[in-house]
Every structure is written in structure tokens, then in C-alpha cells.
Amino acid sequence: MKKVLALVLAIAMIASVAVLTGCGGEKKKDEEKTFIIYSDNAFAPFEYLDTKTNEYVGVDMDIMKAVADDQGFKYEMHNEGFDAAMGAVQSGQADAMIAGMTIKPERKETFDFSEPYFEDGQVIVAKKGTKIEDLKGKSVAVKNGTAGKDYAESVKDEYGFTINYYKDSPSMYQAVTTGVDVACFEDFSVIGYAIKTGEVDLEILNEEPFNVAGYGFAVKKGENAELLEKFNAGLKNLQNNGKLKEILAKYGY
Ligand code: ASN
């Protein structure tokens, strides 16, 4: 009899422990989910390595932190490059990306975007004194997967140039500076920042940026709707409480 009682007690204890940890475990999982966010790695002032602190900083990095603080979620940032970020979101390796990403109609077929938090378009950049006619018969530099790449491909026959593809913006600028390519295609605000800070000694050829559109935070189409909602809610709060303005002003906007 004693043995039976002990056995019953033991089973009851195991069961209660299982129930407790089961419940607690699930709740924990929900509360502590750490979202994986990918980004570009050399796209100042939106994301770039601060060599003093060895940390990625920039408008996108600050927005992401402020939104996560506002909405109370955890995330891990991976600055792997723009094309890598798009691939990571599409493969499900990342929950989302924030990378100065232009909200383009074609991208909406594979991504869901947040509300825009910035506006920009692309420009053609070359050594000082270069004219648009000089692109004929030469090669230009573009960054894999970008809006600038799409634009270059769409006008290459009209201007008569060929295209070389690079993995990041600095490689593109270098190709132009060293004369490998005659020009490159980049977002206006990003190359504007590089010129202003003296990082590159190049010139913008067009008067107005083309394909001006919003920048958005993006998830894979049909996935992570809850995270997208949180981002939009947080962004709205940052717009209303002046924090977004503050972040942009910190980087010169
Ligand atoms: N604006 C670029 C694009 O959406 C983003 C980037 O180069 N990081 O293609």
C-alpha cells in the first residue's frame, strides 16, 4: 500500500512539474522571442561600422532600436550586406530587414513593407567633370540587388554602357575612383553623405534623383505580420513624439 502511495505521489509530482514548466516555457517563448533582423553593412548614414566602437550605427540602426524599445521586443541585428539581407528574408533565415530599402512595386511581390520612414531616389555618380555622354561604350558599377542596379539595367541600351556588379557600396565607389568603371548608381542621400564627409571625391551627374520612393522595413510576403504591425505602431509613435526627427537630425537630415 505504502509503495503504491509513493508511486502515485511521485507521478503527481512529475506531472505538476511538467505542467508548470510547460506553461512557463510557452509563455517565455512568446515574451522572449528575439527577432532576427538583417541589414546592409556599408550604407552610411543608414548603417555603417563605427570603427571606434566596432558597432554598427546609423539611421536604420537607431530607428530599429527605438521601435523595439517602444514596442518591447528583442532583436538581433546582422549587418551582412543588402543582397544578403534580401536573401535571408526570403529564405526565412531572417524575420525582417531594415536597410534603406526602397519600396519598389516589383519588390511588393515578394516582400511586405512597413510605412515609409524616409524618401530617396537614385543618382549617377562619376569623377568630376564627367558628362552623361561619357558613359557610352564604358562600364558602370552597381550594387547587387539594388534599385540603382535595376535603374542602370533599364537605361543601359539607351546610354550604351555595360554593367559591372559589386557586393557593396564602397567597392562600387572604389571602382569609379580607380577608373575601372566610369560611373556608379547609388541612392542620392548615401552618396551625398559620402561626398559631404570627404569619403569619396566624386560628383553627381543628374540634377534630380530618379525613382524617388519611400524606404521601408520589410518582411517576407505573407509572413511575420505581427512584427510588421509592431514596427508600424512603433514608427508612428516615433513620428508623433519627435524621436524620428531627432534620429534623422543626428545624421544631418
Ligand atoms: N535603396 C537601396 C535599394 O533599395 C538599398 C541599399 O542599397 N541598401 O535597393
Side-chain angles (χ1 to χ4, degrees):
M1 187 61 201
K2 247 190 187 168
K3 261 190 190 162
V4 172
L5 196 65
L7 191 66
V8 168
L9 270 175
I11 289 172
M13 268 171 70
I14 291 167
S16 65
V17 166
V19 166
L20 276 175
T21 51
C23 284
E26 241 166 58
K27 208 166 171 208
K28 237 184 181 174
K29 204 174 114 202
D30 238 26
E31 273 170 9
E32 289 186 2
K33 171 156 170 82
T34 300
F35 293 106
I36 306 295
I37 316 286
Y38 269 58
S39 184
D40 205 340
N41 54 2
F43 201 57
F46 293 89
E47 43 268 342
Y48 59 101
L49 190 66
D50 179 340
T51 48
K52 281 189 208 112
T53 60
N54 210 28
E55 268 173 33
Y56 281 93
V57 296
V59 172
D60 287 341
M61 302 299 97
D62 284 9
I63 289 178
M64 200 60 228
K65 184 174 186 320
V67 164
D69 285 350
D70 183 83
Q71 296 292 304
F73 66 81
K74 289 200 184 127
Y75 69 99
E76 212 176 271
M77 189 61 79
H78 295 251
N79 294 79
E80 301 286 344
F82 186 72
D83 207 36
M86 289 207 297
V89 171
Q90 288 308 320
S91 72
Q93 203 177 326
D95 293 302
M97 64 186 283
I98 183 161
M101 187 178 188
T102 309
I103 304 173
K104 283 168 61 81
E106 315 87 83
R107 285 179 177 163
K108 285 188 178 169
E109 285 166 25
T110 46
F111 291 94
D112 288 328
F113 286 97
S114 70
E115 292 299 319
Y117 58 86
F118 193 79
E119 241 188 28
D120 204 8
Q122 288 78 50
V123 287
I124 305 175
V125 187
K127 275 188 192 159
K128 285 179 181 151
T130 309
K131 288 188 207 72
I132 204 90
E133 305 85 71
D134 299 334
L135 271 54
K136 200 176 169 116
K138 307 253 175 58
S139 65
V140 304
V142 302
K143 183 167 72 179
N144 287 328
T146 59
K149 177 217 81 143
D150 293 344
Y151 184 75
E153 286 174 346
S154 76
V155 295
K156 91 190 234 290
D157 292 340
E158 184 189 324
Y159 291 120
F161 57 70
T162 57
I163 303 177
N164 285 329
Y165 297 81
Y166 296 88
K167 71 172 195 318
D168 56 32
S169 291
S171 309
M172 239 184 1
Y173 307 159
Q174 205 193 352
V176 179
T177 306
T178 57
V180 174
D181 300 309
V182 67
C184 70
F185 287 63
E186 180 63 296
D187 285 17
F188 171 67
S189 53
V190 171
I191 194 67
Y193 189 84
I195 291 172
K196 202 172 72 186
T197 56
E199 194 205 316
V200 297
D201 190 21
L202 299 172
E203 194 171 64
I204 295 169
L205 300 193
N206 38 325
E207 275 166 25
E208 294 285 327
F210 32 75
N211 295 334
V212 173
Y215 278 2
F217 168 90
V219 294
K220 184 177 179 179
K221 194 174 175 70
E223 315 250 331
N224 276 306
E226 203 187 310
L227 175 60
L228 190 58
E229 247 171 61
K230 282 187 209 280
F231 186 89
N232 276 331
L235 181 64
K236 205 170 184 185
N237 289 339
L238 302 190
Q239 277 161 343
N240 291 338
N241 65 19
K243 183 90 190 158
L244 180 65
K245 249 196 181 151
E246 226 174 78
I247 292 172
L248 291 171
K250 181 172 155 192
Y251 294 97
Y253 296 116

